[in-house]
Amino acid sequence: VPMPRLVVSLPAVSNCSSCCCLSDCECIWTDWIDVSYPNSSDKNSGDYETFENIMKNNSLWVCAKAENISCRAEQFPNIPIEDLHQKVECNVDVGLTCNNSDQQPGGVIPMPICLNYQISVCCVPNIPECVTSTTPAPPSSTTGTVPSPPVSTTPPTPTPSESPSSTATTTVIPPSSTLGT
């Protein structure tokens, strides 16, 4: 009876193409950001936690691609913004906008002004293999072309220009009657 053979593959490479490094491109959540405060005496004011305003306030802030966003009222951090009865837009394309002129009296605040909001953004790392895409998927959906991280994979064979890391993958090949011993 032939014994199973143990085959050790070549070490995994540390630099790989965009198809292979999905875990390196997972978005990273920012801390809560609050760069705008609504002026309660100005009906034309509001709260504008937009990516544009964040960059104006912090020129070092970079979010190559916002993959997800979370928005909350500073005063009510544990209440979903939908339950605050304010007209607020919170999305991955702009950030958060709230116009005082859109608010109605009542709800959690008796005056028709915006609450002060904060946002946290899940940003994809600013490296070419993470931010370039031929067909961008809608932010809150998953497509069949984006596989979930595999439990175990066999790494690609490195080319001479690639420097391998110290990770190796072990594969057991079952016995076969066609193989000679």
Side-chain angles (χ1 to χ4, degrees), residues 36-48 98-101 111-116:
S36 171
Y37 193 85
N39 181 344
S40 60
S41 62
D42 184 357
K43 183 99 170 133
N44 295 319
S45 176
D47 195 17
Y48 305 102
C98 179
N99 298 307
N100 284 348
S101 59
M111 296 173 52
I113 61 164
C114 295
L115 292 166
N116 186 41

Side-chain angles (χ1 to χ4, degrees), residues 54-158:
I54 294 167
M55 286 186 277
K56 283 180 186 175
N57 281 274
N58 181 356
S59 60
L60 300 177
W61 189 78
V62 175
C63 184
K65 178 182 169 193
E67 194 169 280
N68 205 343
I69 189 168
S70 181
C71 299
R72 71 180 186 185
E74 178 189 39
Q75 212 174 344
F76 305 100
N78 298 319
I79 299 176
I81 61 172
E82 301 82 32
D83 297 344
L84 296 174
H85 305 289
Q86 290 209 318
K87 186 176 178 186
V88 174
E89 190 172 337
C90 176
N91 67 54
V92 296
D93 297 320
V94 177
L96 177 135
T97 58
C98 179
N99 298 307
N100 284 348
S101 59
D102 293 337
Q103 307 313 312
Q104 301 295 320
V108 295
I109 187 164
M111 296 173 52
I113 61 164
C114 295
L115 292 166
N116 186 41
Y117 289 93
Q118 301 170 322
I119 67 171
S120 178
V121 185
C122 198
C123 295
V124 172
N126 191 17
I127 53 177
E129 53 267 17
C130 296
V131 294
T132 56
S133 172
T134 54
T135 54
S140 59
S141 67
T142 304
T143 64
T145 59
V146 181
S148 58
V151 175
S152 172
T153 61
T154 302
T157 304

Side-chain angles (χ1 to χ4, degrees), residues 2 8 25 33 46 77 159 171:
V8 178
C25 292
I33 301 168
T159 61
T171 307

Side-chain angles (χ1 to χ4, degrees), residues 10-26:
L10 292 171
V13 294
S14 59
N15 56 342
C16 51
S17 66
S18 60
C19 68
C20 310
C21 296
L22 293 178
S23 62
D24 292 342
C25 292
E26 288 179 10

